[in-house]
Amino acid sequence: MLVLSRKLKEAIQIGDDIEITILAIDGDQVKLGIQAPRHVDIHRKEIYVAIQTENSEAAKTISLDSLKGFLKEHPNN
């Protein structure tokens, strides 16, 4: 993990397309501004983890439903 110190209004550049700027510091809370191309998804970590969990559960459901359908169509397999 790379650890960087930044002050208010300073930024971090990631590649050519992503810039993160410190917009405000209030106690233990930091507000970030992120400029990135529209095709780059940006989520808070807890939201990202929830999305991944839901996608994983949906994939399991789809797989089980597909298997049930296959077994109904091919009862001798």
Side-chain angles (χ1 to χ4, degrees):
M1 174 188 300
L2 174 63
V3 179
L4 300 172
S5 296
R6 299 279 73 204
K7 294 179 183 176
L8 189 61
K9 306 292 183 188
E10 291 184 337
I12 296 168
Q13 186 74 32
I14 301 174
D16 293 331
D17 298 334
I18 301 173
E19 181 179 307
I20 302 171
T21 303
I22 308 302
L23 299 178
I25 303 170
D26 186 15
D28 64 348
Q29 192 173 52
V30 177
K31 291 187 180 180
L32 304 173
I34 303 170
Q35 289 185 331
R38 289 195 179 273
H39 70 274
V40 175
D41 292 333
I42 301 171
H43 301 285
R44 294 184 323 224
K45 177 72 178 228
E46 63 273 18
I47 300 298
Y48 177 81
V49 169
I51 290 169
Q52 295 302 316
T53 301
E54 287 182 23
N55 287 345
S56 178
E57 291 300 316
K60 288 178 188 176
T61 301
I62 291 169
S63 296
L64 289 175
D65 288 344
S66 297
L67 180 58
K68 287 177 186 176
F70 176 81
L71 291 175
K72 284 181 182 178
E73 294 173 11
H74 304 88
N76 295 328
N77 288 338

